[in-house]
Amino acid sequence: MKRALVVIDYQNDFVSGTLGSEAARSIEGALCARVKEAISDGYDVFFTRDTHDSGYPDTNEGSHIPVTHCIRGTYGWEIHGSLRDLSETCTVIDKPTFGSEKLAHVLSDGGYREVELCGVATNICVIVNAALIRTALPEADILVDPRLVASYDDSLGRAALEVMKGFCIDVLERSRAGSGS
């Protein structure tokens, strides 16, 4: 069975930069351990990278989230911390918006039967990619471990996990206090 681990947008701007949060910083060690474990277990590991250009403020997203972030080639755009070196041995997919149609197509064309999602932000990019992957792979097992996702807003993160359950994403019941959102 082909299995994939997808690390969503664990980039400097979402961890320690312009849109960073303590919740995002707190999952780095667990994410790093999970990526290493997945590689060892034969998973294909993918990273997505939110990617904008200098015209971001003039986009629809930029009008709703008026914080310049993840500009291609900047420090904020790079994969964060200990995951950066790991990402260099994996497939990295740049995406100009919340979800990646390219990622969904790659997973669908690759015949993956299990896809695990982790990263940030639970209530934006994680949930949108979960929905796209669910649509592209209707019979696959799609998993999210609450210990491996984070949001800048705990209540929105928890709500996103509940919504994902509603469209048949397996939210693993291994929660940790004060996180998972």
Side-chain angles (χ1 to χ4, degrees):
M1 171 173 73
K2 287 186 77 172
R3 300 178 298 177
L5 175 69
V6 180
V7 182
I8 304 291
D9 297 355
Y10 202 71
Q11 295 164 262
N12 290 321
D13 273 347
F14 292 130
V15 179
S16 60
T18 58
L19 293 171
S21 70
E22 180 55 39
R25 287 186 290 281
S26 74
I27 65 171
E28 181 176 356
L31 278 176
C32 187
R34 181 65 188 112
V35 169
K36 288 177 181 178
E37 177 183 47
I39 291 169
S40 176
D41 289 347
Y43 284 64
D44 292 333
V45 179
F46 298 85
F47 284 76
T48 65
R49 202 166 37 195
D50 197 43
T51 302
H52 303 293
D53 62 26
S54 60
Y56 174 79
D58 299 323
T59 66
N60 181 292
E61 180 183 323
S63 70
H64 289 88
I65 303 173
V67 178
T68 300
H69 63 280
C70 298
I71 303 300
R72 183 185 303 278
T74 65
Y75 175 77
W77 173 73
E78 295 173 1
I79 302 296
H80 180 76
S82 58
L83 277 85
R84 183 175 179 185
D85 287 343
L86 288 171
S87 73
E88 292 174 2
T89 65
C90 303
T91 302
V92 178
I93 297 175
D94 293 337
K95 59 183 192 57
T97 189
F98 304 130
S100 174
E101 290 181 72
K102 179 179 179 179
L103 173 65
H105 289 298
V106 166
L107 294 172
S108 178
D109 292 347
Y112 289 90
R113 300 296 300 150
E114 180 181 296
V115 179
E116 180 180 343
L117 299 169
C118 55
V120 296
T122 314
N123 60 299
I124 301 176
C125 295
V126 174
I127 193 172
V128 171
N129 282 286
L132 287 169
I133 295 166
R134 169 52 65 223
T135 300
L137 294 165
E139 297 303 319
D141 293 326
I142 303 172
L143 316 161
V144 175
D145 183 337
R147 299 174 302 175
L148 301 176
V149 292
S151 177
Y152 56 89
D153 182 308
D154 191 52
S155 64
L156 289 176
R158 284 192 311 272
L161 291 170
E162 291 302 313
V163 169
M164 283 187 261
K165 288 178 186 178
F167 56 90
C168 304
I169 304 300
D170 293 320
V171 177
L172 305 175
E173 297 300 325
R174 298 181 280 183
S175 64
R176 58 191 166 98
S179 62
S181 51

